[in-house]
């Protein structure tokens, strides 16, 4: 982010700063929200139930790998603009607005687990009972359409003993940040959505976001919830579309890269999220697709599109294995290197990472898997404790009969002859199309990018 922009953010217009704010949940969304408002000149208290997380934040460190966020967090903690605590009481009492940013993880049924939101609402509601003045509660956690009105609102009213719009305000302000660029996305969002029950609470959120230059959409609570799902399911659709096209290109003997790149020049299509790969993972897209599908089912609508997205995404890791086997024979009994275990490069988050289905399929086919990630290995070991782990990309490649790149870490782009020459069979399947094919081939390895046509003669 350029210097002038940062300066602009730390000197917000008069009247929009110096509020006390409370953020419930010190995760990606909670800390990005807290840092954003801290940079805008507000005093923020972050509440989390996990004591070590609170200590980490108070020492100016991020509990997860997100370097720009950590840098800003450290500055704000030092200036006394941001602190963390396990006790919500003081924080809620003093705050003009309370942002609920707790997790809503997926359940096996496809629904989301709403219990953390319920607990947070109960805790905030109880504290609102004795708090003075009009405070606005803001839902930032992703919840299916109708949740804020049918669950958050009654819980807050029950535990506070106050009526919404009279004793407190209620907003739904979905978050669109991407991990790996959390701070940039918070300070320079494509849009800000403010769903509110009443004008007064929506106006407060408008005032808080006033220094941020972005389209601001004011709407009702349920529409705000749906905007988040409409956005994320569209991104999942775009990725799955790219994967479908790439799978066909592979069989037609052509490379999907120029095909999709050319398609992306059309402003109606656009280039982003139009790259083939092993499918979408992370804490949002898979969960949001399933949760909306399930919410629609409960309303009597069976979404064929969302069902198809899930199916395409699940089969995509298998495409990389198929490419490897088409080129180098069955993986049974072979040593296969998997580079990248996080759900994408640049983060240590392994929630819904495609590395799990990828490695599970390789193991089911009888391969021996050796894996490496620059940051996510400790998190991944909890998901798959029994596979072999390497301590560097170079070590991972040593003696391998092939490699699949699962996450687009920058450092994998620097691999060259020195590392490839130690492989038993120097062949790389680039599951994210993030390496330079010419550079890989010049360094003596065979390059296969997902969606990179099967050699003509062998076509089906
Ligand atoms: N991670 C993302 O990229 C992202 C982006 C947009 C939206 N979202 C949505 O935002 C929400 C939060 O996601 P996240 O990734 O920040 O979650 P997270 O798991 O990283 O963090 C949630 C935090 O809330 C804390 N918490 C849980 N219950 C609490 C309570 N009662 N009181 C205080 N703290 C509590 C947890 O200990 C944890 O630290 C989810 O609904 C998610 O779908 C996430």
């Amino acid at each position: 982010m350029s210097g002038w922009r940062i300066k602009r953010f730390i000197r917000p217009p008069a009247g929009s700063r110096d509020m006390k704010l409370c953020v419930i949940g010190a995760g990606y969304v909670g800390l990005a929200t807290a840092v954003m408002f801290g940079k805008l000149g507000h005093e923020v208290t972050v509440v989390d139930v996990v004591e070590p997380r609170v200590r980490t934040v108070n020492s100016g460190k991020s509990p997860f790998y997100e370097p720009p966020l950590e840098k800003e967090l450290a500055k704000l903690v030092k200036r006394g603009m941001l602190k963390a605590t396990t006790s919500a009481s003081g924080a809620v009492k003093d705050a003009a607005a309370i942002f609920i940013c707790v997790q809503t993880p997926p359940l096996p049924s496809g629904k989301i687990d709403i219990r953390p939101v319920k607990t947070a609402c109960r805790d905030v509601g109880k504290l609102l009972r004795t708090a003075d003045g009009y405070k606005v509660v803001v839902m930032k956690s992703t919840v299916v359409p109708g949740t804020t009105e049918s669950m958050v609102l009654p819980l807050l009213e029950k535990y506070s003993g106050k009526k919404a719009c009279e004793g407190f305000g209620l907003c739904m302000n979905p978050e669109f940040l991407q991990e790996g660029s959390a701070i940039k996305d918070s300070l320079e969002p494509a849009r800000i959505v403010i769903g509110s029950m009443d004008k007064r609470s929506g106006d407060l959120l408008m005032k808080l976001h006033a220094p941020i230059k972005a389209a601001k959409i004011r709407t009702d609570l349920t529409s705000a919830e749906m905007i988040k799902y409409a956005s994320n399911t569209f991104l999942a659709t775009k990725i799955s579309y790219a994967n479908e096209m790439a799978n066909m290109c592979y069989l037609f003997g052509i490379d999907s890269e120029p095909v999709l790149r050319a398609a992306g020049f059309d402003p109606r299509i656009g280039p982003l999220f139009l790259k083939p790969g092993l499918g979408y993972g992370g804490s949002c897209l898979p969960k949001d697709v399933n949760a909306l599908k399930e919410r629609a089912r409960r309303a009597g609508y069976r979404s064929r599109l969302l069902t198809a997205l899930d199916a395409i995404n699940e089969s995509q890791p298998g495409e990389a294995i198929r490419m490897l086997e088409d080129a180098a024979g069955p993986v049974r009994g072979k040593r296969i290197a998997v580079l990248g275990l996080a759900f994408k490069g640049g983060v240590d988050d392994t929630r819904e990472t495609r590395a799990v289905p990828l490695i599970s399929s390789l193991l089911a086919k009888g391969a021996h898997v050796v894996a490496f990630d620059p940051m996510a290995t400790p998190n991944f070991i909890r998901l798959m404790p029994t596979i072999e782990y390497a301590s560097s990309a170079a070590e991972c490649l040593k003696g391998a009969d092939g490699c699949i790149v699962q996450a687009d870490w920058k450092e994998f782009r620097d691999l060259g002859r020195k590392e490839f020459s130690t492989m038993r069979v120097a062949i790389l399947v680039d599951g994210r199309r993030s390496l330079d094919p010419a550079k890989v081939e010049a360094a003596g390895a065979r390059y296969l990018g997902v969606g990179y046509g099967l050699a003509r003669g062998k076509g089906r």
Side-chain angles (χ1 to χ4, degrees), residues 193-206:
V193 175
I194 297 174
S196 63
M197 257 195 99
D198 60 333
K199 186 171 175 315
R200 188 176 173 191
S201 49
D203 285 350
L204 181 96
L205 264 199
M206 284 294 281

Side-chain angles (χ1 to χ4, degrees), residues 12 20 38 67 98 106 129 140-141 259 306 327 338 452:
K20 287 195 175 170
I98 301 121
R129 185 174 279 272
K140 275 193 89 71
S141 298
V259 172
L306 299 183
V338 173
Y452 202 148

Side-chain angles (χ1 to χ4, degrees), residues 24-29 47-50 53 101-104 116 119-120 123 140-142 175 177 179 228 283-284 287 351:
I24 312 280
Y28 286 90
V29 171
V47 181
D48 203 289
V49 283
V50 180
R53 209 160 246 246
C101 306
V102 300
Q103 70 274 31
T104 48
T119 309
D123 294 350
K140 275 193 89 71
S141 298
T142 305
E175 178 56 61
L177 68 80
E179 292 178 20
K228 172 67 186 173
S283 68
C284 290
K287 173 183 77 140
R351 288 179 281 185

Side-chain angles (χ1 to χ4, degrees), residues 335-397:
R335 183 178 172 84
I336 306 299
V338 173
L339 289 180
L341 301 170
F343 82 89
K344 65 176 183 179
V347 303
D348 63 356
D349 194 343
T350 55
R351 288 179 281 185
E352 300 293 324
T353 170
R354 300 287 83 200
V356 170
L358 175 71
I359 294 174
S360 303
S361 300
L362 285 168
L363 295 175
K365 281 174 162 280
H368 176 90
V369 174
V370 52
F372 169 73
D373 189 283
M375 292 305 301
T377 302
N379 286 340
F380 197 79
I381 286 175
R382 283 185 226 127
L383 303 176
M384 296 193 107
T386 55
I387 60 165
E388 182 182 338
Y389 289 94
S391 58
S392 66
E395 189 193 308
C396 193
L397 293 179

Side-chain angles (χ1 to χ4, degrees), residues 11-289:
R11 290 209 196 101
S16 69
R17 58 182 148 169
D18 299 336
M19 280 192 224
K20 287 195 175 170
L21 304 174
C22 170
V23 171
I24 312 280
Y28 286 90
V29 171
L31 287 181
T33 303
V35 166
M36 174 188 77
F37 284 127
K39 279 177 76 69
L40 293 178
H42 304 293
E43 210 181 304
V44 190
T45 304
V46 184
V47 181
D48 203 289
V49 283
V50 180
E51 170 89 50
R53 209 160 246 246
V54 165
R55 276 202 305 272
T56 304
V57 173
N58 281 332
S59 68
K61 295 211 157 55
S62 166
F64 41 83
Y65 181 72
E66 188 80 26
L69 182 140
E70 181 160 287
K71 203 172 127 206
E72 298 299 336
L73 185 72
K75 285 193 244 169
L76 291 167
V77 169
K78 202 167 160 201
R79 282 173 44 213
M81 296 297 286
L82 191 156
K83 64 174 185 289
T85 173
T86 51
S87 161
S89 61
V92 169
K93 196 170 128 265
D94 293 341
I98 301 121
F99 293 83
I100 296 181
C101 306
V102 300
Q103 70 274 31
T104 48
L107 291 169
S109 63
K111 289 184 186 167
I112 49 171
D113 186 352
I114 209 71
R115 283 172 301 182
V117 174
K118 280 186 172 169
T119 309
C121 290
R122 192 196 58 209
D123 294 350
V124 170
K126 281 181 186 167
L127 293 165
L128 285 179
R129 185 174 279 272
T130 51
D132 299 328
Y134 185 86
K135 297 174 189 302
V136 178
V137 180
V138 186
M139 267 298 286
K140 275 193 89 71
S141 298
T142 305
V143 286
V144 294
T147 310
T148 306
E149 216 166 284
S150 68
M151 196 208 77
V152 173
L153 170 65
L155 279 175
L156 290 172
E157 288 189 330
K158 176 180 168 190
Y159 286 100
S160 68
K162 295 180 177 173
K163 279 225 61 74
C165 307
E166 291 167 19
F168 65 91
L170 182 58
C171 288
M172 204 291 148
N173 171 220
E175 178 56 61
F176 299 98
L177 68 80
Q178 295 183 73
E179 292 178 20
S181 53
I183 289 302
K184 187 175 183 298
D185 294 346
S186 301
L187 290 169
E188 298 175 36
R191 75 309 211 179
I192 293 166
V193 175
I194 297 174
S196 63
M197 257 195 99
D198 60 333
K199 186 171 175 315
R200 188 176 173 191
S201 49
D203 285 350
L204 181 96
L205 264 199
M206 284 294 281
K207 191 170 162 188
L208 279 168
H209 288 98
I212 297 184
K213 250 186 140 185
K216 294 181 182 105
I217 295 109
R218 288 190 70 162
T219 183
D220 59 280
L221 300 172
T222 308
S223 302
E225 292 167 332
M226 187 61 182
I227 289 168
K228 172 67 186 173
Y229 282 94
S231 304
N232 271 6
T233 52
F234 181 76
L235 295 177
T237 305
K238 217 172 163 192
I239 293 169
S240 302
Y241 166 82
N243 285 335
E244 283 269 271
M245 292 301 116
N247 295 345
M248 290 181 210
C249 286
Y250 177 68
L251 296 177
F252 301 160
I254 50 177
D255 184 2
S256 64
E257 198 277 330
V259 172
L260 291 169
R261 187 154 43 85
F265 274 108
D266 186 328
R268 293 170 301 176
I269 297 174
L272 302 178
F273 280 65
L274 198 63
K275 213 162 76 160
L278 302 179
Y280 52 81
S283 68
C284 290
L285 295 193
K287 173 183 77 140
D288 294 351
V289 167

Side-chain angles (χ1 to χ4, degrees), residues 309-321:
L309 294 185
D310 207 26
I312 296 165
N313 207 49
E314 283 315 303
S315 63
Q316 207 54 25
E319 290 296 323
I321 301 174

